[in-house]
Amino acid sequence: MPTAKFDLLPSANPTADAIRNDILSNPGFGRYFSDHMVHVRWTVDAGWHGHEVRPYGPLTLDPASAVLHYGQEIFEGIKAYRHADGSVWTFRPEKNAERFRRSARRLALPELDDETFVESLRALLAQDHDWVPTPSGEADECSLYLRPFMVASEAFLGVRPSHEVDYYVIASPAAAYFKGGVAPVSIWLSSNYKRAAPGGTGYAKCGGNYAASLAAQKEAEAQGCGQVAFLDAAENKWIEELGGMNLFFVYHDGRLVTPKLTGTILEGVTRDSVLELARDEGLQPEERHISIDEWREGAASGDITEVFACGTAAVITPVGELVGEDERIRCTEGDNPVARQLRSKLLDLQYGRSEDKHGWLTRLV
Ligand SMILES: *Cc1c(COP(=O)(O)O)cnc(C)c1O
């Protein structure tokens, strides 16, 4: 299929250099947005059409738009990294494109082909490459966070897949996701709530999963925790993942265990990359079921030496302790050497500081 061309409607009042530079010096996460966005429209009759890059700004949605009532929505998260020579790259976008299609199928949304997905990132970056921050040192992990998403926009209150859909990509400059950098986070073990159930939407990256996780997130914050760990819905026994990150367990003998994908866990690109990099590092990755009891006992006996969470936004973040209704499980000894090592391997790759042996980088600008 020939790759679609994106028409350009340039912003009439782009952000002044001085203001943008000010934002880029302290962007936080998800607070500021670049000058343009991608838009592509889909209708049952015409398919995908109207590919454009246009000024960033509010959408006009009919109050009866399906997404506002029934939540028919999916999204992706992927970053653009500036390398030392000024070029801009992204990481394994074909994985995100494929997952976006999987999510679309689950939410009965139309699939966007992988080439158009990647081209849409390139089209946006062609305009807004000045919004990609320049890392100021080896430890600096600033980037431009890209958020492709798709919403059901037909004005119709009946319950069926929307006949009109819009795809957008917006971009937001980002510093480290957690303010503490690689400082370990505390995780709340939810006993009241589940994230996903067999046959549900756990493997899809959809807003509905996040909406359903917010009450648990509120509980976590009340307990002084930054994230929630969810157990499986069927047996309340197996560790699945956090609200927006996958989990890994480091064993003293070099095994690296992550819960296996059974349809209720989001297949993270970072998760997959960590499994690959771990092999390069001489660790023995295992994808299998791991129970909350194994976590408890492993942490107590010293069998499990580190726990970490991973995802595009936060890269790799050590878990310091797991907090439950009436327990606190300490998860780390020392300064999490394995998490740190994998984290710097991954960042070195993404920022072009090491050889891209796996062919994971795609140049955007
Ligand atoms: C996005 C996401 C992840 C991490 O996926 P990456 O591709 O590594 O960013 C993990 N869990 C959930 C629930 C997510 O939505």
Side-chain angles (χ1 to χ4, degrees), residues 76-79 89-102 112-119 121-122 148 267-269 272-273 356 358-364:
E76 270 302 324
I78 183 167
K79 284 173 168 174
W89 301 72
T90 192
F91 187 70
R92 309 187 76 185
E94 59 287 345
K95 298 286 282 185
N96 297 80
E98 186 196 334
R99 185 171 68 192
F100 200 51
R101 284 190 290 104
R102 258 199 322 273
L112 186 74
D113 68 273
D114 297 6
E115 294 74 20
T116 304
F117 180 92
V118 176
E119 202 50 39
L121 309 181
R122 201 171 267 129
E267 185 175 347
V269 178
D272 188 77
S273 308
D356 179 19
H358 302 273
W360 282 345
L361 297 183
T362 293
R363 187 163 180 179
L364 294 177

Side-chain angles (χ1 to χ4, degrees), residues 136-361:
S136 59
E138 295 267 308
D140 191 356
E141 50 175 270
C142 60
S143 61
L144 185 64
Y145 184 80
L146 306 173
R147 167 54 58 85
F149 63 104
M150 199 191 283
V151 296
S153 48
E154 184 182 357
F156 174 63
L157 291 184
V159 180
R160 58 148 169 77
S162 181
H163 290 171
E164 296 170 29
V165 168
D166 291 276
Y167 167 75
Y168 300 92
V169 187
I170 55 175
S172 177
Y177 188 76
F178 291 120
K179 288 183 210 81
V182 280
V185 294
S186 295
I187 304 285
W188 170 246
L189 178 63
S190 179
S191 36
N192 289 328
Y193 300 107
K194 296 288 179 271
R195 195 193 79 91
T201 55
Y203 67 86
K205 209 167 173 78
C206 62
N209 288 343
Y210 280 73
S213 75
L214 296 177
Q217 180 69 25
K218 244 172 93 175
E219 268 187 5
E221 274 155 29
Q223 302 286 338
C225 296
Q227 292 280 315
V228 184
F230 290 97
L231 298 180
D232 78 293
E235 295 182 70
N236 193 40
K237 173 177 178 185
W238 307 107
I239 297 155
E240 297 211 311
E241 59 170 318
L242 307 186
M245 280 185 280
N246 296 116
L247 275 172
F248 276 89
F249 299 82
V250 181
Y251 286 70
H252 76 282
D253 58 2
R255 281 174 295 148
L256 181 69
V257 178
T258 193
K260 85 178 204 203
L261 305 170
T262 53
T264 52
I265 295 176
L266 200 284
E267 185 175 347
V269 178
T270 319
R271 174 187 181 279
D272 188 77
S273 308
V274 165
L275 286 169
E276 286 282 326
L277 291 176
R279 265 176 219 110
D280 300 348
E281 294 303 298
L283 296 161
Q284 294 96 51
E286 290 179 9
E287 295 177 79
R288 62 166 169 85
H289 285 310
I290 168 167
S291 69
I292 185 65
D293 285 337
E294 181 173 345
W295 187 345
R296 279 191 189 107
E297 287 155 20
S301 70
D303 216 23
I304 295 175
T305 52
E306 291 178 45
V307 181
F308 63 85
C310 71
T312 299
V315 197
I316 289 175
T317 304
V319 174
E321 64 175 353
L322 182 72
V323 181
E325 291 292 351
D326 38 36
E327 63 182 335
R328 296 185 94 87
I329 306 173
R330 271 203 54 77
C331 306
T332 60
E333 295 295 336
D335 65 347
N336 299 288
V338 175
R340 276 171 187 277
Q341 171 78 352
L342 288 167
R343 190 173 189 284
S344 52
K345 287 279 163 198
L346 190 56
L347 288 171
D348 282 350
L349 251 169
Q350 291 170 333
Y351 286 93
R353 297 187 295 251
S354 65
E355 193 199 336
D356 179 19
K357 280 187 293 200
H358 302 273
W360 282 345
L361 297 183

Side-chain angles (χ1 to χ4, degrees), residues 20-136:
R20 187 185 59 246
N21 290 336
D22 207 39
I23 291 171
L24 294 186
S25 69
N26 184 20
F29 189 90
R31 288 193 290 140
Y32 302 99
F33 298 91
S34 70
D35 289 316
H36 296 87
M37 61 186 185
V38 161
H39 176 225
V40 187
R41 179 131 180 93
W42 180 91
T43 57
V44 166
D45 295 334
W48 290 110
H49 61 278
H51 303 61
E52 62 180 3
V53 175
R54 70 181 205 206
Y56 182 91
L59 309 179
T60 305
L61 275 183
D62 192 288
S65 295
V67 65
L68 300 178
H69 304 273
Y70 308 123
Q72 197 187 3
E73 185 268 358
I74 57 170
F75 66 94
E76 270 302 324
I78 183 167
K79 284 173 168 174
Y81 308 91
R82 191 178 293 285
H83 288 189
D85 65 358
S87 59
V88 176
W89 301 72
T90 192
F91 187 70
R92 309 187 76 185
E94 59 287 345
K95 298 286 282 185
N96 297 80
E98 186 196 334
R99 185 171 68 192
F100 200 51
R101 284 190 290 104
R102 258 199 322 273
S103 300
R105 283 200 294 279
R106 182 62 184 84
L107 274 286
L109 284 161
E111 292 181 42
L112 186 74
D113 68 273
D114 297 6
E115 294 74 20
T116 304
F117 180 92
V118 176
E119 202 50 39
S120 72
L121 309 181
R122 201 171 267 129
L124 182 57
L125 266 293
Q127 288 314 302
D128 286 351
H129 52 84
D130 285 347
W131 285 88
V132 184
T134 301
S136 59

